[in-house]
Protein backbone atom coordinates (compact mmCIF):
# COMPACT_ATOMS: atom_id res chain seq x y z
CA UNK A 1 0.00 0.00 0.00
CA UNK A 2 2.81 2.40 0.87
CA UNK A 3 4.54 1.41 -2.32
CA UNK A 4 1.37 2.14 -4.22
CA UNK A 5 0.98 5.59 -2.66
CA UNK A 6 4.63 6.43 -3.31
CA UNK A 7 4.46 5.53 -6.98
CA UNK A 8 1.21 7.41 -7.25
CA UNK A 9 2.60 10.62 -5.79
CA UNK A 10 5.74 10.36 -7.89
CA UNK A 11 3.80 9.81 -11.09
CA UNK A 12 0.85 12.13 -10.64
CA UNK A 13 2.05 15.21 -8.76
CA UNK A 14 4.53 16.38 -11.44
CA UNK A 15 1.84 16.02 -14.05
CA UNK A 16 -0.65 18.17 -12.13
CA UNK A 17 1.93 20.85 -11.40
CA UNK A 18 3.06 20.96 -14.99
CA UNK A 19 -0.54 21.30 -16.17
CA UNK A 20 -1.12 24.33 -13.97
CA UNK A 21 2.18 25.95 -14.94
CA UNK A 22 1.40 25.49 -18.62
CA UNK A 23 -1.96 27.16 -18.20
CA UNK A 24 -0.62 30.27 -16.44
CA UNK A 25 2.27 30.74 -18.87
CA UNK A 26 -0.09 30.33 -21.79
CA UNK A 27 -2.49 32.98 -20.50
CA UNK A 28 0.42 35.33 -19.80
CA UNK A 29 1.77 35.03 -23.32
CA UNK A 30 -1.73 35.45 -24.76
CA UNK A 31 -2.17 38.72 -22.89
CA UNK A 32 1.27 39.92 -23.95
CA UNK A 33 0.46 39.30 -27.63
CA UNK A 34 -2.85 41.05 -27.19
CA UNK A 35 -1.08 44.11 -25.73
CA UNK A 36 1.40 44.18 -28.60
CA UNK A 37 -1.44 43.84 -31.06
CA UNK A 38 -3.29 46.80 -29.53
CA UNK A 39 -0.12 48.84 -29.51
CA UNK A 40 0.44 48.24 -33.23
CA UNK A 41 -3.11 49.04 -34.21
CA UNK A 42 -3.27 52.09 -31.97
CA UNK A 43 0.00 53.41 -33.36
CA UNK A 44 -1.31 53.15 -36.88
CA UNK A 45 -4.54 54.85 -35.79
CA UNK A 46 -2.81 57.65 -33.99
CA UNK A 47 -0.66 58.28 -37.08
CA UNK A 48 -3.75 58.47 -39.24
CA UNK A 49 -5.37 60.86 -36.78
CA UNK A 50 -2.32 63.05 -36.95
CA UNK A 51 -2.14 62.94 -40.70
CA UNK A 52 -5.77 63.72 -41.21
CA UNK A 53 -5.71 66.52 -38.70
CA UNK A 54 -8.62 64.90 -36.94
CA UNK A 55 -8.23 66.88 -33.78
CA UNK A 56 -8.28 70.27 -35.43
CA UNK A 57 -10.96 69.75 -38.01
CA UNK A 58 -14.50 70.83 -37.40
CA UNK A 59 -16.04 68.32 -39.80
CA UNK A 60 -16.33 64.71 -38.81
CA UNK A 61 -14.09 62.33 -40.64
CA UNK A 62 -16.48 59.44 -41.28
CA UNK A 63 -13.78 57.14 -42.65
CA UNK A 64 -11.66 57.41 -39.53
CA UNK A 65 -14.72 57.25 -37.30
CA UNK A 66 -15.86 53.98 -38.82
CA UNK A 67 -12.31 52.71 -38.70
CA UNK A 68 -12.27 53.38 -34.98
CA UNK A 69 -15.63 51.65 -34.57
CA UNK A 70 -14.31 48.59 -36.38
CA UNK A 71 -11.15 48.53 -34.32
CA UNK A 72 -13.08 48.87 -31.07
CA UNK A 73 -15.24 46.03 -32.23
CA UNK A 74 -12.24 43.90 -33.02
CA UNK A 75 -10.83 44.49 -29.58
CA UNK A 76 -14.23 44.06 -28.06
CA UNK A 77 -13.54 47.33 -26.35
CA UNK A 78 -13.72 51.08 -26.55
CA UNK A 79 -11.71 53.82 -28.19
CA UNK A 80 -11.76 57.34 -26.83
CA UNK A 81 -10.02 60.40 -28.27
CA UNK A 82 -9.23 63.30 -25.93
CA UNK A 83 -8.06 66.68 -27.21
CA UNK A 84 -5.73 69.23 -25.67
CA UNK A 85 -8.47 70.52 -23.42
CA UNK A 86 -9.04 67.08 -21.97
CA UNK A 87 -12.34 67.02 -23.76
CA UNK A 88 -13.57 63.83 -25.29
CA UNK A 89 -14.19 64.42 -28.96
CA UNK A 90 -14.73 60.83 -29.92
CA UNK A 91 -16.04 57.82 -28.02
CA UNK A 92 -16.93 54.63 -29.83
CA UNK A 93 -19.54 54.03 -27.15
CA UNK A 94 -20.95 57.53 -27.84
CA UNK A 95 -21.47 57.92 -24.13
CA UNK A 96 -18.96 60.52 -23.10
CA UNK A 97 -18.48 62.79 -26.11
CA UNK A 98 -18.12 66.37 -25.03
CA UNK A 99 -17.26 65.47 -21.48
CA UNK A 100 -13.87 66.01 -19.93
CA UNK A 101 -11.49 63.22 -19.18
CA UNK A 102 -8.78 64.24 -16.82
CA UNK A 103 -7.08 61.14 -15.53
CA UNK A 104 -3.59 60.36 -14.47
CA UNK A 105 -2.69 58.33 -17.51
CA UNK A 106 -4.02 61.02 -19.86
CA UNK A 107 -1.97 63.71 -18.16
CA UNK A 108 1.07 61.52 -18.28
CA UNK A 109 0.45 60.82 -21.92
CA UNK A 110 0.48 64.54 -22.70
CA UNK A 111 3.90 64.53 -21.14
CA UNK A 112 4.94 61.87 -23.58
CA UNK A 113 4.61 58.77 -21.44
CA UNK A 114 2.50 56.09 -22.97
CA UNK A 115 0.98 53.63 -20.50
CA UNK A 116 -0.41 50.22 -20.74
CA UNK A 117 -2.11 48.45 -17.91
CA UNK A 118 -3.74 45.09 -17.49
CA UNK A 119 -6.53 44.79 -15.00
CA UNK A 120 -6.67 41.12 -14.25
CA UNK A 121 -9.66 41.45 -11.89
CA UNK A 122 -11.97 43.11 -14.43
CA UNK A 123 -10.38 41.44 -17.43
CA UNK A 124 -9.42 44.38 -19.58
CA UNK A 125 -6.37 46.14 -20.92
CA UNK A 126 -6.21 49.93 -21.05
CA UNK A 127 -3.57 51.77 -23.08
CA UNK A 128 -2.88 55.42 -23.89
CA UNK A 129 -1.14 56.79 -26.97
CA UNK A 130 -0.24 60.38 -27.83
CA UNK A 131 -1.65 61.99 -30.95
CA UNK A 132 1.02 64.33 -32.33
CA UNK A 133 0.27 67.65 -34.03
CA UNK A 134 0.58 67.83 -37.78
CA UNK A 135 3.74 69.89 -37.69
CA UNK A 136 7.11 68.22 -37.25
CA UNK A 137 7.72 69.77 -33.81
CA UNK A 138 6.44 66.65 -32.07
CA UNK A 139 3.90 68.46 -29.98
CA UNK A 140 1.16 66.35 -28.47
CA UNK A 141 -2.31 67.49 -29.43
CA UNK A 142 -4.42 64.75 -27.98
CA UNK A 143 -4.58 61.31 -26.40
CA UNK A 144 -5.92 58.07 -27.74
CA UNK A 145 -7.36 55.78 -25.07
CA UNK A 146 -7.86 52.18 -26.06
CA UNK A 147 -9.68 49.70 -23.80
CA UNK A 148 -9.74 46.07 -24.84
CA UNK A 149 -11.51 43.20 -23.13
CA UNK A 150 -9.54 40.05 -22.35
CA UNK A 151 -12.64 37.99 -21.89
CA UNK A 152 -11.92 36.06 -25.06
CA UNK A 153 -8.51 35.08 -23.72
CA UNK A 154 -10.17 33.94 -20.56
CA UNK A 155 -12.60 31.86 -22.53
CA UNK A 156 -9.74 30.35 -24.43
CA UNK A 157 -7.99 29.57 -21.15
CA UNK A 158 -11.11 27.92 -19.85
CA UNK A 159 -11.28 25.71 -22.90
CA UNK A 160 -7.60 24.83 -22.71
CA UNK A 161 -7.89 24.24 -18.96
CA UNK A 162 -10.78 21.90 -19.54
CA UNK A 163 -8.77 19.97 -22.11
CA UNK A 164 -5.82 19.74 -19.76
CA UNK A 165 -8.03 18.52 -16.92
CA UNK A 166 -9.54 15.91 -19.20
CA UNK A 167 -6.11 14.78 -20.26
CA UNK A 168 -5.02 14.66 -16.62
CA UNK A 169 -7.97 12.55 -15.60
CA UNK A 170 -7.25 10.13 -18.42
CA UNK A 171 -3.56 10.00 -17.54
CA UNK A 172 -4.52 9.48 -13.90
CA UNK A 173 -6.57 6.43 -14.80
CA UNK A 174 -3.78 5.03 -16.94
CA UNK A 175 -1.18 5.68 -14.21
CA UNK A 176 -3.29 4.08 -11.51
CA UNK A 177 -3.87 1.03 -13.66
CA UNK A 178 -0.17 0.81 -14.53
CA UNK A 179 0.92 1.20 -10.91
CA UNK A 180 -1.60 -1.37 -9.79
CA UNK A 181 -0.32 -3.86 -12.34
CA UNK A 182 3.33 -3.10 -11.55
CA UNK A 183 2.79 -3.53 -7.82
CA UNK A 184 1.02 -6.81 -8.35
CA UNK A 185 3.73 -8.02 -10.66
CA UNK A 186 6.38 -6.92 -8.19
CA UNK A 187 4.67 -8.64 -5.29
CA UNK A 188 4.03 -11.87 -7.15
CA UNK A 189 7.29 -13.54 -5.97
CA UNK A 190 6.66 -12.27 -2.44
CA UNK A 191 3.31 -14.02 -2.48
CA UNK A 192 4.98 -17.14 -3.83
CA UNK A 193 7.47 -16.90 -0.97
CA UNK A 194 4.63 -16.64 1.50
CA UNK A 195 2.93 -19.69 0.02
CA UNK A 196 6.18 -21.63 0.40
CA UNK A 197 6.44 -20.58 4.03
CA UNK A 198 2.89 -21.78 4.58
CA UNK A 199 3.70 -25.11 2.96
CA UNK A 200 6.77 -25.54 5.12
CA UNK A 201 4.79 -24.70 8.21
CA UNK A 202 2.34 -27.44 7.29
CA UNK A 203 5.15 -29.84 6.52
CA UNK A 204 4.33 -30.11 2.80
CA UNK A 205 7.71 -28.78 1.71
CA UNK A 206 11.27 -28.74 3.02
CA UNK A 207 12.99 -25.99 1.06
CA UNK A 208 12.00 -22.72 -0.55
CA UNK A 209 13.00 -21.75 -4.05
CA UNK A 210 12.09 -18.23 -5.12
CA UNK A 211 14.46 -16.96 -7.75
CA UNK A 212 12.90 -13.76 -9.00
CA UNK A 213 14.85 -11.34 -6.82
CA UNK A 214 18.25 -11.76 -5.31
CA UNK A 215 16.95 -10.54 -1.92
CA UNK A 216 14.18 -13.10 -1.93
CA UNK A 217 16.59 -15.77 -3.07
CA UNK A 218 18.93 -15.01 -0.18
CA UNK A 219 16.03 -14.86 2.21
CA UNK A 220 14.66 -18.18 1.02
CA UNK A 221 18.09 -19.74 1.39
CA UNK A 222 18.48 -18.57 4.95
CA UNK A 223 14.94 -19.64 5.78
CA UNK A 224 15.66 -23.06 4.31
CA UNK A 225 18.83 -23.24 6.38
CA UNK A 226 16.99 -22.32 9.55
CA UNK A 227 14.41 -24.99 8.85
CA UNK A 228 17.14 -27.54 8.22
CA UNK A 229 18.73 -26.57 11.52
CA UNK A 230 15.40 -26.88 13.29
CA UNK A 231 14.93 -30.34 11.82
CA UNK A 232 18.43 -31.25 12.95
CA UNK A 233 17.66 -30.10 16.49
CA UNK A 234 14.41 -32.01 16.38
CA UNK A 235 16.19 -35.17 15.21
CA UNK A 236 18.86 -34.93 17.86
CA UNK A 237 16.20 -34.37 20.47
CA UNK A 238 14.36 -37.46 19.36
CA UNK A 239 17.60 -39.41 19.42
CA UNK A 240 18.26 -38.12 22.91
CA UNK A 241 14.84 -39.15 24.11
CA UNK A 242 15.21 -42.62 22.68
CA UNK A 243 18.66 -42.88 24.27
CA UNK A 244 17.25 -41.81 27.61
CA UNK A 245 14.48 -44.38 27.51
CA UNK A 246 16.94 -47.05 26.56
CA UNK A 247 19.36 -46.11 29.33
CA UNK A 248 16.59 -45.94 31.91
CA UNK A 249 15.25 -49.27 30.82
CA UNK A 250 18.52 -51.17 31.16
CA UNK A 251 18.70 -51.21 34.99
CA UNK A 252 15.00 -51.98 35.21
CA UNK A 253 15.44 -54.97 32.90
CA UNK A 254 18.28 -56.22 35.09
CA UNK A 255 16.18 -55.79 38.21
CA UNK A 256 13.37 -57.68 36.56
CA UNK A 257 15.64 -60.55 35.49
CA UNK A 258 17.11 -60.78 38.99
CA UNK A 259 13.71 -60.74 40.66
CA UNK A 260 12.19 -63.20 38.21
CA UNK A 261 15.01 -65.71 38.59
CA UNK A 262 14.74 -65.49 42.36
CA UNK A 263 11.04 -66.14 42.23
CA UNK A 264 11.35 -69.04 39.84
CA UNK A 265 13.67 -70.80 42.26
CA UNK A 266 11.99 -72.76 44.98
CA UNK A 267 13.69 -72.65 48.35
CA UNK A 268 16.54 -70.50 47.24
CA UNK A 269 19.09 -70.12 50.01
CA UNK A 270 19.16 -66.90 51.96
CA UNK A 271 22.68 -66.17 50.71
CA UNK A 272 21.45 -66.18 47.14
CA UNK A 273 18.62 -63.83 48.10
CA UNK A 274 21.08 -61.53 49.73
CA UNK A 275 23.38 -61.55 46.72
CA UNK A 276 20.56 -60.91 44.28
CA UNK A 277 19.07 -58.20 46.47
CA UNK A 278 22.48 -56.61 46.56
CA UNK A 279 22.60 -56.59 42.77
CA UNK A 280 19.09 -55.16 42.61
CA UNK A 281 20.14 -52.40 44.98
CA UNK A 282 23.13 -51.63 42.73
CA UNK A 283 20.87 -51.37 39.72
CA UNK A 284 18.58 -49.00 41.59
CA UNK A 285 21.62 -46.86 42.46
CA UNK A 286 22.55 -46.81 38.81
CA UNK A 287 19.08 -45.80 37.77
CA UNK A 288 19.01 -42.94 40.22
CA UNK A 289 22.48 -41.81 39.12
CA UNK A 290 21.30 -41.67 35.51
CA UNK A 291 18.27 -39.66 36.56
CA UNK A 292 20.45 -37.27 38.59
CA UNK A 293 22.82 -36.75 35.67
CA UNK A 294 19.92 -36.20 33.31
CA UNK A 295 18.42 -33.61 35.62
CA UNK A 296 21.78 -31.85 35.84
CA UNK A 297 22.00 -31.72 32.05
CA UNK A 298 18.45 -30.54 31.54
CA UNK A 299 18.88 -27.82 34.18
CA UNK A 300 21.95 -26.55 32.40
CA UNK A 301 20.23 -26.51 29.02
CA UNK A 302 17.55 -24.23 30.39
CA UNK A 303 18.37 -20.53 30.70
CA UNK A 304 21.95 -21.09 31.68
CA UNK A 305 22.66 -17.48 32.65
CA UNK A 306 20.24 -17.60 35.55
CA UNK A 307 21.63 -20.68 37.19
CA UNK A 308 25.21 -19.40 37.25
CA UNK A 309 26.35 -18.60 40.73
CA UNK A 310 29.63 -16.78 40.21
CA UNK A 311 32.11 -16.02 42.97
CA UNK A 312 35.87 -15.67 43.50
CA UNK A 313 37.12 -19.23 43.88
CA UNK A 314 40.53 -20.50 44.86
CA UNK A 315 40.89 -23.10 42.15
CA UNK A 316 43.92 -24.83 43.76
CA UNK A 317 42.01 -25.42 47.00
CA UNK A 318 38.99 -26.64 45.05
CA UNK A 319 41.11 -29.21 43.20
CA UNK A 320 42.73 -30.29 46.43
CA UNK A 321 39.32 -30.99 47.92
CA UNK A 322 38.22 -32.99 44.87
CA UNK A 323 41.33 -35.17 44.96
CA UNK A 324 40.83 -35.77 48.68
CA UNK A 325 37.33 -37.06 48.01
CA UNK A 326 38.39 -39.35 45.18
CA UNK A 327 41.56 -40.67 46.79
CA UNK A 328 39.82 -43.56 48.64
CA UNK A 329 38.49 -44.89 45.32
CA UNK A 330 41.91 -44.50 43.71
CA UNK A 331 43.52 -46.31 46.58
CA UNK A 332 41.40 -49.40 45.92
CA UNK A 333 43.21 -49.84 42.61
CA UNK A 334 46.42 -48.44 43.93
CA UNK A 335 46.30 -45.46 41.63
CA UNK A 336 48.48 -42.56 42.70
CA UNK A 337 46.71 -39.17 42.66
CA UNK A 338 48.79 -35.95 42.65
CA UNK A 339 48.14 -32.23 42.29
CA UNK A 340 50.77 -29.82 41.03
CA UNK A 341 50.08 -26.10 41.33
CA UNK A 342 52.41 -24.14 39.06
CA UNK A 343 50.62 -20.91 39.87
CA UNK A 344 48.04 -20.07 42.50
CA UNK A 345 44.73 -19.21 40.86
CA UNK A 346 41.68 -17.30 42.02
CA UNK A 347 39.03 -17.10 39.34
CA UNK A 348 35.41 -16.00 38.91
CA UNK A 349 33.56 -19.27 38.50
CA UNK A 350 30.50 -21.14 39.72
CA UNK A 351 32.13 -23.22 42.45
CA UNK A 352 29.61 -26.07 42.57
CA UNK A 353 29.57 -26.51 38.80
CA UNK A 354 33.35 -26.24 38.41
CA UNK A 355 33.75 -28.81 41.15
CA UNK A 356 31.41 -31.19 39.34
CA UNK A 357 33.26 -30.73 36.03
CA UNK A 358 36.69 -31.47 37.52
CA UNK A 359 35.31 -34.34 39.64
CA UNK A 360 34.01 -36.00 36.48
CA UNK A 361 37.42 -35.65 34.80
CA UNK A 362 39.39 -36.98 37.76
CA UNK A 363 36.92 -39.78 38.37
CA UNK A 364 37.20 -40.84 34.74
CA UNK A 365 40.99 -40.72 34.97
CA UNK A 366 40.80 -43.15 37.91
CA UNK A 367 38.06 -45.33 36.43
CA UNK A 368 39.70 -45.86 33.07
CA UNK A 369 43.11 -46.50 34.58
CA UNK A 370 45.18 -49.62 35.20
CA UNK A 371 46.25 -51.18 38.48
CA UNK A 372 49.12 -49.18 40.08
CA UNK A 373 48.63 -46.36 37.62
CA UNK A 374 48.78 -42.62 38.30
CA UNK A 375 46.69 -39.50 37.78
CA UNK A 376 48.33 -36.06 37.67
CA UNK A 377 46.38 -32.86 37.94
CA UNK A 378 48.30 -29.70 36.98
CA UNK A 379 47.04 -26.17 37.60
CA UNK A 380 48.54 -23.18 35.77
CA UNK A 381 47.51 -19.72 34.59
CA UNK A 382 48.47 -16.83 32.37
CA UNK A 383 47.12 -13.28 32.63
CA UNK A 384 43.76 -14.18 31.12
CA UNK A 385 43.10 -17.88 31.56
CA UNK A 386 43.77 -20.70 33.98
CA UNK A 387 44.38 -24.24 32.74
CA UNK A 388 43.80 -27.54 34.45
CA UNK A 389 45.42 -30.65 32.97
CA UNK A 390 44.16 -34.05 34.06
CA UNK A 391 46.62 -36.70 32.85
CA UNK A 392 46.36 -40.43 33.49
CA UNK A 393 48.22 -43.61 32.73
CA UNK A 394 45.04 -45.40 31.71
CA UNK A 395 43.68 -47.33 28.79
CA UNK A 396 43.46 -44.30 26.51
CA UNK A 397 40.83 -43.43 23.93
CA UNK A 398 41.14 -44.58 20.31
CA UNK A 399 41.52 -41.57 17.99
CA UNK A 400 38.24 -42.17 16.14
CA UNK A 401 36.22 -41.86 19.38
CA UNK A 402 37.97 -38.81 20.77
CA UNK A 403 35.43 -36.38 19.33
CA UNK A 404 32.46 -38.52 20.30
CA UNK A 405 33.12 -39.00 24.03
CA UNK A 406 31.50 -35.65 24.81
CA UNK A 407 28.18 -36.76 23.33
CA UNK A 408 25.45 -37.68 25.75
CA UNK A 409 25.38 -41.40 26.55
CA UNK A 410 28.43 -42.07 24.41
CA UNK A 411 30.78 -44.70 25.85
CA UNK A 412 33.74 -46.27 24.15
CA UNK A 413 33.40 -49.57 25.95
CA UNK A 414 29.83 -50.05 27.15
CA UNK A 415 30.61 -53.05 29.34
CA UNK A 416 33.49 -51.42 31.15
CA UNK A 417 31.61 -48.19 31.69
CA UNK A 418 28.69 -50.13 33.17
CA UNK A 419 31.02 -52.01 35.45
CA UNK A 420 32.36 -48.76 36.83
CA UNK A 421 28.91 -47.27 37.17
CA UNK A 422 29.24 -44.76 34.34
CA UNK A 423 26.19 -43.23 32.71
CA UNK A 424 27.86 -41.79 29.62
CA UNK A 425 26.67 -38.34 30.66
CA UNK A 426 29.69 -37.23 32.68
CA UNK A 427 31.73 -35.65 29.91
CA UNK A 428 28.63 -34.09 28.34
CA UNK A 429 27.95 -32.37 31.66
CA UNK A 430 31.60 -31.37 32.03
CA UNK A 431 31.75 -29.81 28.58
CA UNK A 432 28.48 -27.96 29.19
CA UNK A 433 29.81 -26.45 32.41
CA UNK A 434 33.06 -25.40 30.76
CA UNK A 435 31.19 -23.78 27.88
CA UNK A 436 29.01 -21.91 30.35
CA UNK A 437 32.25 -20.38 31.65
CA UNK A 438 33.29 -19.56 28.07
CA UNK A 439 36.14 -22.05 28.34
CA UNK A 440 37.40 -24.92 26.21
CA UNK A 441 38.21 -28.57 26.77
CA UNK A 442 40.58 -30.66 24.68
CA UNK A 443 41.59 -34.28 24.78
CA UNK A 444 44.85 -35.96 23.78
CA UNK A 445 45.17 -39.68 24.12
CA UNK A 446 47.21 -42.68 23.04
CA UNK A 447 45.58 -46.05 23.30
CA UNK A 448 47.11 -48.15 26.04
CA UNK A 449 49.27 -45.30 27.33
CA UNK A 450 47.02 -42.71 28.80
CA UNK A 451 44.88 -39.64 28.32
CA UNK A 452 45.28 -35.90 28.96
CA UNK A 453 42.27 -33.59 29.25
CA UNK A 454 43.15 -29.90 29.09
CA UNK A 455 40.64 -27.34 30.35
CA UNK A 456 41.13 -23.61 29.74
CA UNK A 457 38.86 -21.06 31.42
CA UNK A 458 38.89 -17.23 31.56
CA UNK A 459 39.90 -15.83 34.95
CA UNK A 460 37.08 -13.29 34.83
CA UNK A 461 33.58 -14.41 34.09
CA UNK A 462 32.02 -13.20 30.83
CA UNK A 463 28.24 -13.22 31.15
CA UNK A 464 26.19 -14.58 28.25
CA UNK A 465 24.62 -11.22 27.60
CA UNK A 466 27.98 -9.66 26.82
CA UNK A 467 28.72 -12.19 24.13
CA UNK A 468 27.06 -11.29 20.83
CA UNK A 469 25.03 -14.21 19.58
CA UNK A 470 25.55 -16.09 22.86
CA UNK A 471 22.62 -18.34 23.65
P1 LIG B 1 30.98 -42.55 31.70
O1 LIG B 1 29.90 -42.34 32.70
O2 LIG B 1 30.78 -43.76 30.89
O3 LIG B 1 32.35 -42.42 32.27
P2 LIG B 1 31.66 -40.08 30.38
O4 LIG B 1 30.83 -39.18 29.59
O5 LIG B 1 32.29 -39.56 31.59
O6 LIG B 1 30.77 -41.37 30.69
O7 LIG B 1 32.75 -40.61 29.41
C1 LIG B 1 32.41 -41.10 28.15
C2 LIG B 1 33.37 -42.19 27.69
O8 LIG B 1 34.65 -41.64 27.41
C3 LIG B 1 33.64 -43.22 28.71
O9 LIG B 1 32.68 -44.24 28.64
C4 LIG B 1 35.00 -43.73 28.30
O10 LIG B 1 34.87 -44.74 27.28
C5 LIG B 1 35.67 -42.55 27.72
N1 LIG B 1 36.61 -41.90 28.70
C6 LIG B 1 36.36 -40.83 29.46
N2 LIG B 1 37.44 -40.48 30.20
C7 LIG B 1 38.41 -41.35 29.89
C8 LIG B 1 39.78 -41.52 30.30
N3 LIG B 1 40.36 -40.72 31.20
N4 LIG B 1 40.49 -42.54 29.77
C9 LIG B 1 39.92 -43.36 28.87
N5 LIG B 1 38.65 -43.27 28.43
C10 LIG B 1 37.89 -42.26 28.92
Amino acid sequence: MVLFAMLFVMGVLPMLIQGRLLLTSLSKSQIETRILDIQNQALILSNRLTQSGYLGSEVTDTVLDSQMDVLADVFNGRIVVVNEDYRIIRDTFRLAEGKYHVSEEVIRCFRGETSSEYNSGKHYIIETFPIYSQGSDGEIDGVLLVTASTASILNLMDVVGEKITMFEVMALIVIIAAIFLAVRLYLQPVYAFRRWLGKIAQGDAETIRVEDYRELQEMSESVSQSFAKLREVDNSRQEFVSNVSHELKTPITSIRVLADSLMSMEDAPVELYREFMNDISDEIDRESKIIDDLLTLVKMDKSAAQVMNISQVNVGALLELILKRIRPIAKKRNVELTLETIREVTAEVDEVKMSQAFTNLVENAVKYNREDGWVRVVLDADHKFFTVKVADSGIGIPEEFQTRIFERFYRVDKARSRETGGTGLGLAITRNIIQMHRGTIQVQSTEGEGTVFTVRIPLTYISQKEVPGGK
Side-chain angles (χ1 to χ4, degrees):
M1 211 45 228
V2 177
L3 190 72
F4 189 87
M6 226 165 66
L7 285 176
F8 184 78
V9 168
M10 269 170 15
V12 171
L13 266 189
M15 187 183 78
L16 292 181
I17 292 170
Q18 207 160 12
R20 295 303 115 187
L21 279 179
L22 191 75
L23 211 60
T24 41
S25 78
L26 186 68
S27 93
K28 220 164 135 186
S29 83
Q30 282 285 327
I31 286 163
E32 271 165 17
T33 12
R34 176 59 61 93
I35 290 173
L36 275 178
D37 203 20
I38 295 168
Q39 276 171 352
N40 277 337
Q41 298 291 342
L43 222 62
I44 293 168
L45 186 66
S46 101
N47 273 339
R48 286 224 182 111
L49 290 174
T50 307
Q51 278 162 13
S52 68
Y54 187 88
L55 288 171
S57 105
E58 293 296 314
V59 274
T60 44
D61 187 330
T62 43
V63 180
L64 270 176
D65 278 354
S66 65
Q67 236 178 41
M68 276 190 258
D69 285 338
V70 170
L71 204 59
D73 251 12
V74 169
F75 289 145
N76 192 14
R78 183 180 187 179
I79 295 176
V80 173
V81 179
V82 179
N83 74 2
E84 281 180 291
D85 309 325
Y86 298 101
R87 210 151 69 94
I88 295 172
I89 56 164
R90 175 79 180 126
D91 173 10
T92 52
F93 278 12
R94 309 282 186 306
L95 291 172
E97 280 174 0
K99 290 183 183 155
Y100 288 93
H101 187 107
V102 191
S103 68
E104 196 196 329
E105 60 264 19
V106 173
I107 296 168
R108 279 220 309 246
C109 193
F110 273 116
R111 277 197 233 123
E113 296 169 28
T114 58
S115 72
S116 122
E117 190 189 319
Y118 171 55
N119 186 322
S120 60
K122 291 187 179 147
H123 314 303
Y124 68 83
I125 302 166
I126 180 154
E127 299 199 44
T128 55
F129 298 93
I131 306 168
Y132 293 99
S133 67
Q134 252 174 322
S136 53
D137 52 2
E139 210 175 291
I140 295 167
D141 275 353
V143 169
L144 189 63
L145 273 150
V146 182
T147 318
S149 161
T150 53
S152 64
I153 294 176
L154 255 128
N155 286 343
L156 181 73
M157 284 309 115
D158 280 352
V159 174
V160 174
E162 233 167 68
K163 287 252 163 68
I164 289 181
T165 312
M166 223 161 76
F167 169 77
E168 279 171 355
V169 168
M170 256 153 60
L172 213 70
I173 293 170
V174 172
I175 287 176
I176 290 176
I179 291 175
F180 189 71
L181 279 178
V183 168
R184 273 195 68 131
L185 216 69
Y186 173 79
L187 287 180
Q188 208 67 49
V190 179
Y191 291 143
F193 186 71
R194 204 168 61 185
R195 278 197 298 278
W196 272 108
L197 280 184
K199 270 193 195 169
I200 288 192
Q202 283 174 356
D204 292 344
E206 296 210 330
T207 51
I208 303 185
R209 278 248 70 80
V210 179
E211 286 171 345
D212 302 65
Y213 307 127
R214 195 163 48 83
E215 290 82 356
L216 272 185
Q217 205 177 325
E218 283 167 7
M219 211 148 82
S220 60
E221 267 162 29
S222 57
V223 169
S224 296
Q225 274 169 14
S226 322
F227 277 118
K229 217 166 251 162
L230 275 181
R231 269 195 300 278
E232 219 172 87
V233 169
D234 198 42
N235 287 345
S236 89
R237 192 161 48 221
Q238 268 173 13
E239 195 189 302
F240 178 61
V241 170
S242 86
N243 277 344
V244 168
S245 354
H246 176 78
E247 294 296 331
L248 289 178
K249 251 169 118 175
T250 321
I252 288 179
T253 316
S254 310
I255 292 169
R256 188 186 195 111
V257 170
L258 288 166
D260 280 355
S261 53
L262 263 188
M263 279 193 297
S264 66
M265 269 187 266
E266 282 171 28
D267 336 303
V270 178
E271 292 76 44
L272 199 69
Y273 261 100
R274 190 160 282 143
E275 195 191 323
F276 275 36
M277 283 320 251
N278 217 16
D279 288 350
I280 287 176
S281 170
D282 283 352
E283 290 299 333
I284 289 172
D285 278 352
R286 213 174 117 65
E287 180 93 18
S288 81
K289 188 166 187 321
I290 295 175
I291 291 171
D292 282 349
D293 279 0
L294 271 175
L295 282 179
T296 312
L297 258 184
V298 170
K299 250 193 260 160
M300 276 191 298
D301 275 354
K302 261 204 233 156
S303 53
Q306 282 170 19
V307 289
M308 288 302 263
N309 189 5
I310 301 297
S311 61
Q312 291 283 345
V313 174
N314 182 336
V315 182
L318 181 76
L319 288 172
E320 191 70 67
L321 204 74
I322 291 168
L323 293 203
K324 201 171 143 194
R325 265 195 248 131
I326 296 177
R327 210 158 261 135
I329 309 167
K331 227 178 207 134
K332 278 190 199 158
R333 304 189 58 203
N334 203 20
V335 173
E336 183 198 20
L337 249 179
T338 55
L339 170 67
E340 184 186 347
T341 305
I342 296 176
R343 202 181 294 248
E344 286 291 340
V345 174
T346 315
E348 289 175 14
V349 293
D350 181 319
E351 186 166 7
V352 177
K353 290 199 176 66
M354 257 307 124
S355 162
Q356 179 165 21
F358 289 130
T359 305
N360 284 346
L361 289 179
V362 181
E363 262 178 7
N364 279 349
V366 175
K367 269 194 314 196
Y368 303 103
N369 218 316
R370 56 177 165 80
E371 290 284 329
D372 310 318
W374 49 260
V375 174
R376 283 191 201 119
V377 181
V378 183
L379 171 66
D380 196 3
D382 56 26
H383 61 293
K384 270 189 154 173
F385 295 88
F386 71 88
T387 51
V388 175
K389 273 193 170 76
V390 181
D392 65 55
S393 60
I395 56 170
I397 305 161
E399 181 125 25
E400 64 263 39
F401 304 126
Q402 283 176 12
T403 49
R404 301 209 57 193
I405 50 171
F406 296 103
E407 290 172 20
R408 296 180 282 206
F409 294 120
Y410 191 82
R411 281 159 289 189
V412 177
D413 179 348
K414 291 241 173 202
R416 181 169 180 139
S417 167
R418 257 180 77 77
E419 246 171 59
T420 54
T423 60
L425 293 172
L427 283 181
I429 293 172
T430 300
R431 188 177 61 169
N432 251 2
I433 291 170
I434 290 164
Q435 281 173 348
M436 283 162 90
H437 287 87
R438 308 267 145 216
T440 55
I441 177 164
Q442 280 172 340
V443 59
Q444 285 162 297
S445 183
T446 317
E447 237 187 307
E449 281 182 23
T451 309
V452 183
F453 282 95
T454 310
V455 176
R456 203 170 124 87
I457 290 177
L459 290 167
T460 42
Y461 177 66
I462 309 161
S463 96
Q464 321 275 114
K465 288 179 211 111
E466 293 165 35
V467 181
K471 56 166 192 168

